[in-house]
């Protein structure tokens, strides 16, 4: 079965063609990062306009690289949320229009579920159930993946998402955008010399909170400025990253022990973080857990994961078939 996927929820315009939910025939990604970098973050209005101008050329390239014609497509999918409403509408409208014109079925996809499916592409042997940690620029979720379309939600962020904290801290430090990859790289050269908080919340809570940690970094930066002391960026990056990683690892393993699952799956932009991967794997090796995460290109936003999620959704008996955009869609609602 050949699935065509569209992704345009934030600052990547992506079109992908995936066979049988797992085999990528093409995955074309046009990133707007260079444009938004000038502003230190994604500007929604600019994102929508750029999606409009990019979507057709990106579709053409994806079709050409896959070496297929429109008649070969069996299913069309697009991200319907969460994301920026103007941005979402571009990919969703393109997908729905094409489905109508070609008389093919259409499935609207939850972007967060898509992030998990990136793992099915990278690891053909991976099957649910497992414990999933989804950490991206917009979301942080700790879930039990019951099957391809069904999840039990255990924890979510109460304020900033993990990736958002990376981005805000990097911006405050003046080291660039997006912050995640920059902090990841800097931290490799640093020591955890700054004493930053680990926010655990109530006993046994699986929720996250990263805004206090972000504020603690801002305080350190302000105090240093007032005292005329230079911050060591490598050490600050390392201290901050250690604090995020420790909480993510601890809560994820806590859930793995509670649910009895031996498989832990990471997803979302922050799952590209080298320290998070290493800490998860080191503990996994000691305690007998297997850790999966997507290839780096599939960690951040892409349409291949949307095509995969749409494929599994299409085959689900309980498919709701909602095709309108919902910028606030989470895992909570479903
Ligand atoms: O999944 P994604 O592309 O977008 C959302 O759906 O939100 O994730 C983007 C986020 C950004 O916040 C970025 O800073 C973060 O993922 N990120 C990383 C790394 N690479 C990307 N965070 C930590 N370490 C990385 N290596
Ligand atoms: Zn994403």
């Amino acid at each position: 079965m050949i699935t065509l996927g569209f992704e345009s929820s934030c600052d990547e315009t992506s079109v992908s063609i995936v066979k049988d939910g797992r085999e990528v025939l093409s995955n074309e990604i046009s990133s707007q990062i260079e444009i938004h970098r000038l502003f230190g973050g994604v500007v929604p209005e600019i994102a929508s306009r750029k999606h409009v101008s990019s979507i057709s050329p990106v579709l053409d390239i994806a079709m050409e690289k896959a070496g297929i014609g429109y008649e070969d497509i069996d299913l069309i999918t697009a991200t319907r949320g969460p994301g920026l409403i103007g941005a979402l509408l571009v990919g969703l409208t393109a997908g729905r229009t094409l489905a109508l014109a070609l008389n093919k079925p259409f499935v609207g996809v939850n972007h967060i579920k898509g992030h998990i499916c990136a793992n099915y592409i990278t690891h053909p042997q991976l099957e649910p159930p497992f414990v999933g940690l989804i950490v991206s620029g917009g979301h942080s979720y700790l879930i039990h993946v019951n099957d391809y379309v069904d999840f039990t939600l255990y924890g979510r962020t109460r304020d900033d998402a993990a990736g958002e904290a990376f981005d805000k801290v990097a911006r405050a430090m003046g080291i660039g955008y997006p912050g995640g990859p920059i902090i990841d790289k800097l931290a490799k050269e640093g020591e955890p010399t700054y004493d930053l908080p680990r926010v655990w919340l109530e006993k046994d809570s699986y929720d996250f909170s990263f805004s206090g940690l972000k504020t603690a970094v801002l305080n350190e930066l302000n105090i240093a400025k007032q005292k005329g002391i230079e911050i060591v960026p490598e050490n600050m990056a390392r201290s901050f990253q250690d604090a995020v990683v420790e909480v993510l690892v601890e809560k994820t393993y806590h859930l793995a022990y509670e649910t009895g699952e031996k498989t832990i799956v990471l997803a979302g932009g922050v799952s590209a973080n080298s320290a998070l991967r290493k800490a998860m794997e080191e503990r996994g090796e000691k305690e007998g857990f297997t850790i999966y995460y997507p290839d780096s290109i599939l960690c951040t936003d892409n349409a291949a994961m949307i095509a995969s999620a749409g494929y599994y959704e299409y085959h689900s008996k309980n498919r709701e078939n909602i095709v309108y955009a919902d910028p606030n869609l989470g895992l909570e609602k479903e």
Side-chain angles (χ1 to χ4, degrees), residues 1-2 16-26 120-121:
M1 181 162 191
I2 302 282
S16 174
I17 292 141
V18 173
K19 193 175 165 195
D20 298 331
R22 295 199 182 224
E23 187 191 335
V24 177
L25 303 185
S26 68
Y120 298 135
I121 296 169

Side-chain angles (χ1 to χ4, degrees), residues 7 9 111 115 136-137 268-269 299-301 305:
E7 156 62 33
S9 64
H111 179 89
H115 273 299
S136 74
C299 286
T300 44
D301 293 348
M305 68 186 199

